[in-house]
Amino acid sequence: MSTSGPLYIGFDLSTQQLKGIVVNSDLKVVFLSIFDFDAHSKGFPIKKGVITNEVEHEVVAPVALWLQALDSVLADLKKQGLDFSLVRGISGAGQQHGSVYWGEDAEKLLKGLDAQKGLEEQLAGAFSHPYSPNWQDASTQKECDEFDEKLGGVEQLAEATGSKAHHRFTGPQILRFQRKYPDVYKKTSRISLVSSFLASLFLGHIAPFDISDVCGMNLWNIHNGAYDEELLKFCAGPHGVDDLRRKLGDVPEDGGIDLGKVHPYFTSRYGFSPECTIIPSTGDNPATILALPLRPSDAMVSLGTSTTFLMSTPSYKPDPATHFFNHPTTPGLYMFMLCYKNGGLAREHIRDAINKAQNDDHPSNPWVNFDKIALDTPPLGQKSPSDPMKLGLFFPRPEIVPNLPPGQWRYTYNPDTNTLTRLSDNDSQWTEPTDSARAIIESQLLSLRLRSRGLTTPPNPSLPAQPRRVYLVGGGSKNKTIAKIAGEILGGSEGVYKLEIGDNACALGAAYKAVWALERKQNETFEELIGKRWREEEFVERIADGYQEEAFEKYGRAVEGFEKMELEVLKEVEEKK
Ligand code: XUL
């Protein structure tokens, strides 16, 4: 492993851990360090990286925890033998939407960092508020309702900012913050996102927001490339719009801009070169699409506790059920995102029920029985073409796409007559838990196909619109059954792929962003530069077939029934309210 050339670090400051990954100009990973917040931190009453106030639905993370983590990761990389003087650039990824509130002494304390003491000790007084609201926070329903109304309705807010209001989005969070803590808000000199907070530490002064991550606030007007004046004014309340504009700061358009050199704290303490350059950190989802030279019309499915679906696209077609962000590196492209609360956990419920029914816990591979049943079940449970299709919704947790409370709903659908029939819990047409194994995978993937169909294009004139490739990342990407069904439902003219570095995609994308920023020729796009250096055989594995005509067409008809089913359930839930 050569570590002689220039090196680049990408950090991933996520909910449960801080990761630092070091790559060389050939995109090869040469060092990796992980600091797990629950396992490795000292002095914080956290659980899974956060502190929860059930009564107010607040979820926050202590900012000082991240300071402790950063020094620990850097110390560990040093211990592993990383020669920091070779590091030419640093970028990062932060959990999206979280905000950090800096106090009046922030700039002075950042500038004066002393290499003899740690970050946690020196920056304790830098914040006006010690906690960062986390993306899992759900305390802002009132503020979301107000945001949604502000421009005339959810459609208008989505059109302007890329998303309707969401609890976790930073604008509604700031609005609640300034109302709940008016005095603290007054004393707040600047507000960072988690991504720009990370860049600020390395720079030794407060870094601007990243052009993609700023779209997770409900404050940035994507059409105008500027803050939305009306939303900003509303969010600032009695404190005034100019004050909030100052707190947020400007947003450079170039995601690869040179923000400045690393602060002497890092050169003295760890041996970084004084020439090491800081590149804007972005959000964790935008960074994930930078883990490979993703082409417009490729799709990425991140199969974690929740499911995230990401595409890079030249079309801006906002909808209240989806998210659009500026692309983190490439002007003219956007990142399309679907973010579900129910993903892996929902599949695990059915997996566990199957193992229980079979009196088999298979501790070494709990998925064996689930996978076998899912594969033995014909698509949509149709034993013969004249059988109706089996469709269901499986939400052990409240879902955002679509907006439904926890519950399970089962239907049959006859595509010839376009008839949907609701099944009762004990209906003999649906055998629990076995019929649910394939149905839950299908349900999750049909939802992705339904909501991304306006963005895909025909890969060539003889094929229907679909992604070119489907890339799977995250824990669930190891599951070949999901990969197979993903190909049948979503298509993929070249197939379904898994990233070899799946679990580290986000940190890797951040590191690649730094490589691109510092090695690009004039006007060379991220996709061009990374594309040239990409080694297909080493970095990705084709794990399942993509487009298969018969299956794709059948699932195309099922999507119609699926959409109808969602609308019916939404209506029923609405009527019960
Ligand atoms: C995206 C979102 C999550 C966080 C996770 O909108 O809230 O994916 O970014 O870190």
Side-chain angles (χ1 to χ4, degrees):
M1 206 178 322
S2 155
T3 54
S4 58
L7 300 178
Y8 300 86
I9 309 192
F11 288 94
D12 170 14
L13 178 42
S14 70
T15 314
Q16 298 196 47
Q17 53 186 23
L18 174 71
K19 222 180 253 183
I21 208 164
V22 185
V23 304
N24 61 21
S25 299
D26 294 332
L27 311 183
K28 181 107 195 150
V29 175
V30 289
F31 288 96
L32 169 69
S33 174
I34 299 175
F35 182 92
D36 181 282
F37 297 150
D38 283 12
H40 304 138
S41 74
K42 286 195 189 76
F44 301 99
I46 50 163
K47 224 178 180 176
K48 294 191 183 284
V50 291
I51 300 168
T52 305
N53 169 349
E54 306 271 355
V55 182
E56 297 205 44
H57 307 291
E58 282 178 345
V59 183
V60 299
V63 181
L65 164 72
W66 300 337
L67 301 174
Q68 190 182 95
L70 184 55
D71 268 331
S72 299
V73 163
L74 292 169
D76 180 52
L77 287 170
K78 192 168 179 163
K79 208 164 120 204
Q80 290 184 38
L82 170 62
D83 177 356
F84 280 97
S85 72
L86 299 174
V87 176
R88 189 169 164 212
I90 301 173
S91 186
Q95 51 186 290
Q96 294 197 265
H97 321 294
S99 40
V100 173
Y101 298 81
W102 297 95
E104 285 155 347
D105 292 336
E107 288 286 7
K108 196 173 82 203
L109 290 169
L110 281 168
K111 190 163 177 226
L113 283 172
D114 171 357
Q116 300 308 313
K117 303 178 200 154
L119 293 172
E120 189 184 354
E121 179 187 348
Q122 297 182 77
L123 293 179
F127 308 100
S128 58
H129 187 68
Y131 300 110
S132 169
N134 178 265
W135 62 277
Q136 297 165 98
D137 183 285
S139 64
T140 55
Q141 185 59 52
K142 179 172 178 286
E143 289 74 15
C144 284
D145 292 343
E146 294 172 89
F147 258 77
D148 278 337
E149 280 307 302
K150 207 63 218 164
L151 302 183
V154 284
E155 276 84 14
Q156 286 83 351
L157 187 65
E159 182 63 42
T161 69
S163 304
K164 77 170 188 62
H166 292 274
H167 292 148
R168 64 195 192 282
F169 272 51
T170 327
Q173 288 288 341
I174 293 174
L175 177 58
R176 180 169 185 267
F177 187 90
Q178 60 94 342
R179 286 173 174 167
K180 186 171 178 188
Y181 308 110
D183 294 336
V184 179
Y185 181 82
K186 263 187 220 140
K187 288 189 192 133
T188 298
S189 63
R190 293 289 303 268
I191 300 174
S192 286
L193 289 172
V194 177
S195 54
S196 61
F197 159 79
L198 190 63
S200 304
L201 298 176
F202 284 109
L203 268 181
H205 69 85
I206 290 159
F209 293 148
D210 162 77
I211 188 68
S212 181
D213 212 17
V214 74
C215 303
M217 304 180 81
N218 281 139
L219 289 177
W220 187 255
N221 188 307
I222 295 183
H223 285 289
N224 302 345
Y227 290 112
D228 189 286
E229 283 302 310
E230 212 171 322
L231 295 172
L232 208 59
K233 192 162 158 242
F234 169 61
C235 187
H239 307 278
V241 66
D242 292 337
D243 169 72
L244 179 55
R245 211 194 318 274
R246 254 193 318 274
K247 283 178 165 60
L248 300 176
D250 294 335
V251 184
E253 251 175 73
D254 178 8
I257 198 171
D258 171 345
L259 293 177
K261 302 299 171 206
V262 74
H263 186 276
Y265 172 86
F266 298 93
T267 54
S268 307
R269 195 173 168 106
Y270 299 106
F272 278 95
S273 152
E275 291 310 306
C276 175
T277 302
I278 313 305
I279 304 302
S281 293
T282 188
D284 54 356
N285 291 301
T288 300
I289 65 167
L290 301 180
L292 71 167
L294 196 73
R295 295 202 212 152
S297 201
D298 286 342
M300 262 181 125
V301 186
S302 173
L303 297 162
T305 312
S306 56
T307 303
T308 325
F309 178 88
L310 304 165
M311 275 181 84
S312 150
T313 167
S315 326
Y316 182 68
K317 295 184 184 165
D319 181 290
T322 68
H323 304 285
F324 274 89
F325 295 75
N326 285 320
H327 191 280
T329 60
T330 313
L333 290 182
Y334 300 92
M335 183 183 84
F336 168 76
M337 179 170 88
L338 296 169
C339 188
Y340 296 82
K341 281 199 178 156
N342 289 286
L345 225 57
R347 293 191 297 275
E348 280 169 26
H349 275 286
I350 293 169
R351 174 201 72 183
D352 294 347
I354 286 174
N355 287 341
K356 197 161 166 228
Q358 301 202 352
N359 279 327
D360 181 1
D361 280 334
H362 273 284
S364 59
N365 180 3
W367 290 100
V368 169
N369 297 318
F370 176 93
D371 284 357
K372 181 164 183 338
I373 289 170
L375 289 177
D376 286 350
T377 306
L380 299 151
Q382 285 183 299
K383 292 203 179 79
S384 88
S386 58
D387 285 349
M389 297 172 164
K390 287 181 183 157
L391 294 171
L393 291 172
F394 305 85
F395 300 148
R397 301 165 74 190
E399 185 50 79
I400 29 180
V401 194
N403 189 353
L404 283 174
Q408 188 156 322
W409 295 267
R410 301 172 197 81
Y411 281 83
T412 57
Y413 175 63
N414 183 335
D416 297 330
T417 55
N418 194 20
T419 350
L420 200 60
T421 311
R422 174 83 184 265
L423 302 182
S424 66
D425 281 354
N426 310 314
D427 198 294
S428 60
Q429 289 186 75
W430 192 295
T431 315
E432 279 295 352
T434 43
D435 275 345
S436 293
R438 190 174 180 106
I440 188 172
I441 302 176
E442 290 177 334
S443 174
Q444 295 179 343
L445 291 161
L446 284 169
S447 178
L448 301 182
R449 178 153 164 194
L450 167 67
R451 295 185 164 85
S452 60
R453 63 184 171 183
L455 294 173
T456 50
T457 46
N460 65 51
S462 62
L463 290 178
Q466 62 185 293
R468 182 189 70 122
R469 289 184 175 188
V470 175
Y471 290 102
L472 302 183
V473 295
S477 66
K478 296 180 195 94
N479 186 311
K480 295 260 165 87
T481 309
I482 298 179
K484 181 172 182 295
I485 301 175
E488 291 170 359
I489 296 182
L490 298 175
S493 52
E494 290 188 8
V496 179
Y497 290 74
K498 171 166 97 68
L499 274 191
E500 286 304 344
I501 190 100
D503 286 353
N504 294 325
C506 175
L508 197 65
Y512 288 180
K513 187 168 188 264
V515 174
W516 164 72
L518 291 164
E519 297 198 8
R520 62 181 161 168
K521 297 196 193 83
Q522 210 180 359
N523 297 329
E524 191 176 21
T525 65
F526 177 88
E527 290 76 15
E528 285 161 358
L529 183 137
I530 299 299
K532 272 185 220 151
R533 301 180 188 190
W534 186 252
R535 289 188 304 284
E536 181 81 3
E537 43 328 312
E538 240 177 274
F539 295 163
V540 292
E541 186 194 340
R542 189 177 186 283
I543 48 168
D545 288 338
Y547 176 69
Q548 297 144 67
E549 188 178 350
E550 195 187 327
F552 192 79
E553 214 181 277
K554 181 183 282 205
Y555 281 116
R557 272 175 281 138
V559 168
E560 306 303 323
F562 189 84
E563 187 173 25
K564 211 170 142 92
M565 168 177 72
E566 278 192 355
L567 290 172
E568 194 169 306
V569 175
L570 278 165
K571 192 161 155 248
E572 179 195 299
V573 167
E574 202 48 47
E575 279 166 6
K576 271 198 198 148
K577 270 187 190 164

